[in-house]
Amino acid sequence: MTATLQTETPTAARRTSRIPVAVLGATGSVGQRFVQLLEHHPWFRLHEVIASERSAGKAYGEAADWRLDTLMPRDAAALQVKPLGVHLDSRLVFSGLDSSIAGEAEELYAGHGAVVVSNSKNHRMDADVPLLLPEINADHLAAIEHQRQRRGGDGYIITNSNCSTMGLALAIAPIEKIWGIEQLHVTTMQAVSGAGYNGVASYAILDNVIPYISGEEEKIEIEPRKILGAWRDGRFELAPMRISAQTNRVPTIDGHMMTISLSTRSRNTLNLEQVREALDNFRGEPQELGLPSAPRKPIHYIDAPDRPQPRLDRDREHGMSVSVGRLRPCPLLDLRMVALVHNTIRGAAGAALLNAELLEAKGLL
Amino acid sequence: MTATLQTETPTAARRTSRIPVAVLGATGSVGQRFVQLLEHHPWFRLHEVIASERSAGKAYGEAADWRLDTLMPRDAAALQVKPLGVHLDSRLVFSGLDSSIAGEAEELYAGHGAVVVSNSKNHRMDADVPLLLPEINADHLAAIEHQRQRRGGDGYIITNSNCSTMGLALAIAPIEKIWGIEQLHVTTMQAVSGAGYNGVASYAILDNVIPYISGEEEKIEIEPRKILGAWRDGRFELAPMRISAQTNRVPTIDGHMMTISLSTRSRNTLNLEQVREALDNFRGEPQELGLPSAPRKPIHYIDAPDRPQPRLDRDREHGMSVSVGRLRPCPLLDLRMVALVHNTIRGAAGAALLNAELLEAKGLL
Amino acid sequence: MTATLQTETPTAARRTSRIPVAVLGATGSVGQRFVQLLEHHPWFRLHEVIASERSAGKAYGEAADWRLDTLMPRDAAALQVKPLGVHLDSRLVFSGLDSSIAGEAEELYAGHGAVVVSNSKNHRMDADVPLLLPEINADHLAAIEHQRQRRGGDGYIITNSNCSTMGLALAIAPIEKIWGIEQLHVTTMQAVSGAGYNGVASYAILDNVIPYISGEEEKIEIEPRKILGAWRDGRFELAPMRISAQTNRVPTIDGHMMTISLSTRSRNTLNLEQVREALDNFRGEPQELGLPSAPRKPIHYIDAPDRPQPRLDRDREHGMSVSVGRLRPCPLLDLRMVALVHNTIRGAAGAALLNAELLEAKGLL
Amino acid sequence: MTATLQTETPTAARRTSRIPVAVLGATGSVGQRFVQLLEHHPWFRLHEVIASERSAGKAYGEAADWRLDTLMPRDAAALQVKPLGVHLDSRLVFSGLDSSIAGEAEELYAGHGAVVVSNSKNHRMDADVPLLLPEINADHLAAIEHQRQRRGGDGYIITNSNCSTMGLALAIAPIEKIWGIEQLHVTTMQAVSGAGYNGVASYAILDNVIPYISGEEEKIEIEPRKILGAWRDGRFELAPMRISAQTNRVPTIDGHMMTISLSTRSRNTLNLEQVREALDNFRGEPQELGLPSAPRKPIHYIDAPDRPQPRLDRDREHGMSVSVGRLRPCPLLDLRMVALVHNTIRGAAGAALLNAELLEAKGLL
């Protein structure tokens, strides 16, 4: 792999001085995950935390109501929170902003030359913004050049997908690549952390299922088509598959489950054993480049008849792998299967981190 | 309504002396529901409780580890548990037996002249056993005559469906009747009570989803076709629809949820507002006959965007109604919707009771 | 009972024209319970709903995000929400206001002649405000006269206790009355509904216990002493017991559990069988007067070794009874036991309703 | 520390050839934890797995229904399960046997020269069996000599305490040592894993609290007194404190919480700040010896007002530390606090492992 070799030396060199980064929306649920995952990151160093006016000026340790099950990193606790809009020292900016303000704020920083790696939904479907999933569409980074020309500067935005989309897109990528997907039904059972710390009241979800998540079905029906589509002639072409998504909130902490039924464009050649192998053997550029957050295997196929399960499988490879199981025929379409993604790691902050690592490995920072 | 009038007098007369009934498997989870629902039943009176050798001879109050949130009926508590196989005084026998023994035991009692109203799976697909859902297929009772001829006696067996099937079959019955269903995808999220009191360990399901329930998908893919099919020329014809079911266990107490996507055979005429009305206005023979356990409306269509929900809607009409919501187009098939059934009432003991009431109203006891 | 006979005629007469009432804070969690419990109330009729400026002017059906498992009463849904502070037609006013505004608002309405029956904490410990628990201290109503003199009008305020206090005070009342309590340790395990609908995030409490509820321990350590104390010579004397409370939030929907260990002032005469009987046989004025919301038995003693349990016992007598079990010796004090109260019914809106019924029966409305 | 120096060389030497060990009851919940914790153990190597007749002869990978959230160790999966009673190659034997059979089986192996490190309750209170908690009572190992004389061989048994006892005994050890404890009230809120994988049905515990755990209160009231007591003149003297325990099961996966209220024998000198420091600074022999499973700090005092919490704090130091918080005065006794222990790690298999490490460090293997 030439690409790997080329990046090895500068990467190693940079480890001696980690790249300073900023986190927008650092006190929120995605922001806290960024802060957590950056603590021991070999390439990046948390340098700035940005949050709302209310938190600005306070130490991060005071401003953030820390909710994760590891201790807040000491260095982070000592940082002074900056308000949104101020000049940032860091060129690399992670955004965990709420979508009500992310659109404008991310555009602002990109306009001032920052590389904005966003988890927010606002720019995902923009015509020149990559909806990056490094195992699948690293070539979409070519769109960056179009952004630069549009803005007339070096800054740009890249995004990762919705949390459920991430699990779905990864789980079906090997099938799409080999057989081509035509139709797909997916029903999700999503954990409460997907709505942020205060997003789902316990009174609403204990002993209950809520069959509705605002805006979620629309995202799942379109985002995988951009991710699995092509960047051709200066624009994104959506993959031709059609998707029907039904989304539910269930009383789990972390880990979005989904049942999938799909048909391919080459029905007669489909063999489930081959599909199983295609899933389990799937690798992408993050694995070839050895990116720090890349899982060894992006997809773990589990043979047990009752897996994956959120509590038992969400943390595989530090939450960066998608787990798939129950591959079997479908009476209506070509196959059925179950997939699981850790929604706040691979489905959010971990995905953004991996995206940024790809940028660094490609010399785009 | 001639049918109603004909039954009114004997029914009223009988209320002064309720029909004695036996419950097989009375200490189990379905058996306890039978005992509970029979307490104040206007037509039936619990007369005998039958359970395993281990419980036989004890008072029911001692033998049963009562788990329901109402008090054990006093009269029931005083009954002495009889072992399986002994002669029964009651002609009407409810069966909540485990499927490992139900097949043979039910056949035995039917062979001795009993009317066995079973919740077990064993005889559901038998060629001359009605899989009764009174709002839909009361005419299937014609098959009883075939059983009588086969056995050479007055006894017979009728069954109700699997708990999830019950919710699905009721929710789609009006659509099947008017437009005819062609293809159907269903994903269930089922409560732990569906597996019996000790069926799902808390260590297995807290903060978790289990994407597998043994034998469940097979039942859901075939039973609705018998229920919605026809009894013609002395045999059951399955409805021609094809079903793909994916089943999951979630951490709820009672109430099976399901997402449904389906296509009909008359696509061009489908109008969602008409479907909504067909669901909400659906009535069947139990409503016409005014059966004691019949819900006023078998289906409640709920307009709120995030309903039905198990905790909020499972108890509508004492758990005997199915709730439906989120009716909307599907990008792949004709429509999507969400349905909910109380699995241990309408999906089990309550269904069997309603079945027996239909038998009584039809003069078949 | 002379008292009962005296009230019978006016009560019956009034049923033909129910007393109009207002509910302050009608869209909140306690307010919704008031609206629910008033729907079929024989004496009171919901006439006015009052909420924040944000809701004022809207129909209650729109303004309230209804969260209970029964349907919103139709009549209530049609009422127009009034803002806090406006003149009310109703003399009887139930208050489910948040404590941040309840103090002033309740005082205002009482000053204008209303009878304010409050569930809020603000005036509970006031020198002339009864902390009413009708089975225990109906004689505390004598303090009303002092309020009237203070304000120079007919209006007054009565309150019910904190939800956990309610369970504790009722459970120990028979013991206090007969033996006198000296020391008491209580540890609570409280349901999430105690914090209001959005009070506890699911992310905070799923698979978790939170050993802290703001202000709760202080209330439990003082309120029972006022409830069980005496109104003497124009002032309240606290019962001389000392209480240590430790409070916890657990992942249950409704029902506050508590373990209790206590010593009495007459140790040598204590006999657990007598205590059990004193609990189970306990009755008070609501039972004698036959108040509509009065449980037949305020305390249910359950003999089973593992009861009470929230899910199985909270709804006894429509949630108006306290359940007690596991009465046994304590290695350190005189006895131990477990108690359970439905926190949003007997511990909140139901308690206020019972209080108002006592006022009516006593001719104080 | 002479002891440390003495063990360093042999320890280092042994790392090149780890000590072979056997696990009794290897397929159960405690047994699986043993297998998990032994996978990467620097001193011990899993050599034999023993289970019931039903599992004997199968590969462990087949026989065990693995329930932990890490993968089953490959080496373990390949071991053939041996039946209870056969000769073992390993001198060091961990026992996670069910108490119905542990008593006899452990005695048998000790009689044949094995060092049995047991998690079962059977021998905990035996007159010459240490109830070992290495941070507190390493000197109790002197009792081993008495066992050897009694049995006339080299084998012996040591035990660790009940899971809740472990949390309690560790949390109060520094207070007992400095001030002496007189009276103690404890109420526990215990996780479902404490009952084994199938011990608590989900139908029993979802949205519920069960105020009873068979035999648990008796253990908690006596075991801490042996742990904190003295080995003097050839026998154990119980610590003179008196304990009242009330135990509850709550819907959490792992982590037993407890509220504690206690009085000391030297009331006038008690200062809460000193107590806090005594807790946080507490260290014992495992820390001095640097045993592999020893936490850096046996007790973590957490200052936040609402901690510890099971989900956030149970995994501190790989589940080997007890967390304590909310230290404050008690209106009745001297102080109150909240403690948390990971019941299946520090409270079970991890405790046994630490015990065995102490034996090795002391040259007793």
Side-chain angles (χ1 to χ4, degrees), chain D residues 184-198:
Chain D
L184 186 149
H185 288 267
V186 61
T187 290
T188 67
M189 291 159 281
Q190 304 188 205
V192 299
S193 61
Y197 293 139
N198 297 307

Side-chain angles (χ1 to χ4, degrees), chain A residues 12-28:
Chain A
R14 265 183 181 124
R15 289 188 195 186
T16 61
S17 66
R18 295 190 291 158
I19 301 169
V21 306
V23 172
L24 307 182
T27 56

Side-chain angles (χ1 to χ4, degrees), chain C residues 320-364:
Chain C
M320 287 299 287
S321 279
V322 165
S323 295
V324 176
R326 298 205 74 210
L327 186 65
R328 61 204 194 284
C330 176
L332 297 174
L333 301 179
D334 290 351
L335 65 85
R336 293 183 290 188
M337 61 188 196
V338 174
L340 167 73
V341 63
H342 193 305
N343 54 299
T344 68
I345 299 180
R346 182 74 210 212
L353 228 66
L354 186 65
N355 282 353
E357 291 164 9
L358 183 68
L359 297 179
E360 165 65 2
K362 295 277 190 186
L364 286 161

Side-chain angles (χ1 to χ4, degrees), chain C residues 34 41 43-44 92 94 115-119 124 129-138 141 144 156-161 166 227 286 289 291-294 320 346-365:
Chain C
F34 276 127
H41 199 277
W43 296 359
F44 306 136
L92 178 54
F94 291 102
V115 172
V116 179
V117 177
S118 171
N119 180 62
R124 282 181 195 151
V129 171
L131 186 47
L132 192 63
L133 204 167
E135 278 91 345
I136 300 177
N137 62 13
L141 291 176
I144 290 173
Y156 61 89
I157 297 171
I158 65 166
T159 62
N160 57 263
S161 74
M166 180 65 67
I227 293 170
L289 295 170
L291 300 181
S293 299
M320 287 299 287
R346 182 74 210 212
L353 228 66
L354 186 65
N355 282 353
E357 291 164 9
L358 183 68
L359 297 179
E360 165 65 2
K362 295 277 190 186
L364 286 161
L365 284 193

Side-chain angles (χ1 to χ4, degrees), chain D residues 196-215:
Chain D
Y197 293 139
N198 297 307
V200 183
S202 54
Y203 190 82
I205 199 68
L206 279 171
D207 181 20
N208 210 8
V209 171
I210 302 175
Y212 177 71
I213 300 172
S214 176

